[in-house]
């Protein structure tokens, strides 16, 4: 069994869809309720025990490093004010073992992954796209846990998918598969954002992957499309060799790189919150009467 130990989180997008806030605040620091989206992603890795994490950031993102660093003045202040719970919340942010690497040239997802090569070398790694938040209810298996289990028992790369319909297929990477056993599909082809008629199935790739060590080498040898190298090209080559699996994730997914997805995440997490869940529910009911 190969144990998965490392993870890459590409989070170097400029977030221009969220201007003006992203002029000075890096997009991964936008918060859902009180927590930056990047912390949600890092916390997803707790369920799989991955502790070696590298976040690929754009230049000028020091505030993200500050978020995951120590702040002793704040900790002392919270303790001396008797705010134990807030102290623990603040302290938790510095408990993660995260490293940072800058993506100086915006050359696509595969370019971001290659920036993390010195950290991953030829070992397998989890890949979590910073724009997507996943939520698993009690009784549902967290997506990363499922992917790690499949990888560790088969040694093959595995990607998470979701079912989509109609025009939605054209927004995502799309998989074709030859068989499915216990919810694990053997992928035989991949197309990136196909026209509706060219889709291979209703299974769209979401931003969670576990990739074997050979992928980093494959990325280095791909032909660029203009300035960008596509992760999909490497995945398609793996699929052609029968070396790529896929599994449909359980739970909810929020695209927080999109304004409406971001609002949806905030509303749903507010509803789930112990602190403000009840008043949010009352407010939404009243609002629904008015609109
Ligand atoms: C990327 C991938 C695509 C995948 C998607 C998931 O696209 O290239 O295959 O379906 O993430 O969110 P992007 O959204 O960066 O255009």
């Amino acid at each position: 069994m190969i144990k998965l130990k490392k993870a890459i989180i590409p989070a170097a997008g400029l977030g221009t869809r969220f201007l003006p806030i992203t002029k000075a605040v890096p997009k991964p620091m936008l918060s859902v309720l009180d927590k930056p989206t990047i912390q949600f992603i890092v916390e997803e890795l707790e369920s799989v025990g991955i502790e070696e994490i590298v976040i690929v950031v754009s230049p000028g993102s020091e505030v993200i490093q500050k978020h995951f660093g120590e702040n002793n003045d704040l900790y002392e202040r919270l303790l001396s004010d008797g705010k134990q719970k807030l102290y623990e919340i603040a302290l938790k942010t510095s408990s993660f073992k995260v490293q940072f690497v800058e993506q100086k040239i915006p050359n696509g997802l595969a370019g971001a992954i290659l920036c993390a090569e010195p950290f991953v070398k030829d070992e397998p790694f989890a890949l979590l796209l910073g724009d997507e938040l996943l939520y698993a209810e009690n009784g549902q298996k967290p997506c990363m846990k499922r992917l790690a289990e499949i990888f560790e028992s088969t040694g093959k790369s595995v990607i998470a998918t979701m079912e989509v319909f109609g025009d939605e297929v054209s927004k995502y990477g799309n998989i074709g598969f030859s068989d499915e056993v216990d919810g694990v599909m053997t992928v035989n082809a991949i197309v990136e954002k196909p026209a509706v008629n060219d889709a291979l199935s209703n299974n769209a790739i979401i931003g969670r992957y576990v990739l074997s060590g050979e992928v980093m080498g494959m990325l280095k040898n791909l032909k660029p499309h203009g300035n960008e190298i596509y992760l999909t090209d490497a995945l398609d080559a793996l699929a052609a060799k029968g070396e790529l699996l896929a599994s449909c994730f359980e739970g909810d997914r929020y695209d927080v790189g999109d304004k409406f997805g971001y609002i949806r995440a905030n509303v749903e997490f507010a509803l789930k919150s112990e602190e403000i869940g009840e008043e949010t529910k009352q407010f939404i009911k009243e609002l629904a009467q008015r609109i």
Side-chain angles (χ1 to χ4, degrees):
M1 188 178 94
I2 317 166
K3 182 92 186 88
L4 184 64
K5 292 193 214 134
K6 298 191 170 172
I8 303 176
I9 305 177
L14 293 179
T16 46
R17 279 191 277 178
F18 280 84
L19 279 168
I21 181 66
T22 46
K23 179 166 175 258
V25 178
K27 185 172 63 157
M29 287 304 291
L30 296 189
S31 81
V32 169
L33 293 195
D34 42 22
K35 197 187 285 181
T37 54
I38 189 71
Q39 189 179 335
F40 281 94
I41 313 270
V42 168
E43 285 178 3
E44 251 189 87
L45 291 163
E46 285 180 327
S47 76
V48 248
I50 294 181
E51 289 177 350
E52 294 173 58
I53 303 167
V54 64
I55 303 178
V56 185
V57 294
S58 52
S61 297
E62 290 76 15
V63 70
I64 305 180
Q65 301 182 39
K66 200 171 165 193
H67 177 75
F68 288 107
E70 304 282 353
N71 185 340
N72 291 321
D73 290 346
L74 174 67
Y75 302 158
E76 278 165 28
R77 180 67 195 264
L78 291 170
L79 281 181
S80 69
D81 289 352
K83 294 178 173 162
Q84 182 67 27
K85 193 153 183 232
L86 292 178
Y87 164 74
E88 281 161 22
I89 290 172
L91 189 67
K92 177 159 187 182
T93 59
S94 45
S95 68
F96 305 103
K97 215 174 137 195
V98 281
Q99 297 183 48
F100 297 88
V101 58
E102 275 187 8
Q103 183 177 16
K104 295 206 167 65
I105 308 157
N107 55 348
L109 178 54
I113 300 168
L114 280 173
C115 292
E117 196 210 348
F119 164 91
V120 165
K121 303 191 183 76
D122 58 356
E123 288 179 58
F125 59 94
L127 174 70
L128 296 86
L129 304 193
D131 272 346
E132 293 173 49
L133 299 192
L134 299 186
Y135 181 86
E137 299 281 354
N138 279 342
Q140 290 178 324
K141 184 163 282 193
C143 179
M144 283 316 300
K145 196 165 174 52
R146 173 93 172 125
L147 295 187
E149 281 174 6
I150 297 170
F151 171 76
E152 287 174 357
S153 64
T154 63
K156 290 189 181 181
S157 297
V158 52
I159 59 181
T161 59
M162 65 179 176
E163 269 203 303
V164 289
F165 299 95
D167 294 353
E168 285 285 295
V169 286
S170 307
K171 290 191 187 163
Y172 302 95
N174 186 267
I175 67 163
F177 58 99
S178 54
D179 70 344
E180 181 170 355
V181 180
D182 295 333
V184 180
M185 297 168 268
T186 302
V187 182
N188 56 17
I190 296 223
V191 279
E192 181 69 6
K193 305 194 178 89
V196 178
N197 292 333
D198 297 333
L200 305 169
S201 73
N202 285 330
N203 296 73
I205 303 172
I206 65 161
R208 297 294 181 273
Y209 314 70
V210 172
L211 301 174
S212 63
E214 71 176 311
V215 171
M216 203 56 95
M218 291 168 85
L219 292 179
K220 277 195 274 186
N221 295 317
L222 289 177
K223 274 206 192 124
H225 302 254
N227 282 339
E228 297 199 1
I229 12 173
Y230 290 178
L231 172 64
T232 315
D233 287 346
L235 296 180
D236 192 38
L238 279 181
K241 293 197 288 177
E243 288 294 318
L244 184 66
L245 305 174
S247 169
C248 193
F249 90 105
E250 287 183 350
D252 296 316
R253 171 183 174 273
Y254 303 94
D255 179 359
V256 290
D258 166 82
K259 263 184 208 163
F260 180 66
Y262 180 72
I263 292 301
R264 244 190 85 220
N266 271 285
V267 172
E268 290 220 29
F269 281 74
L271 281 169
K272 292 180 209 295
S273 150
E274 270 179 33
E275 194 184 338
I276 58 164
E278 198 45 47
E279 57 186 321
T280 306
K281 191 160 124 193
Q282 291 313 323
F283 168 66
I284 290 174
K285 283 183 177 166
E286 282 165 34
L287 185 66
Q289 306 281 320
R290 280 189 273 134
I291 56 178

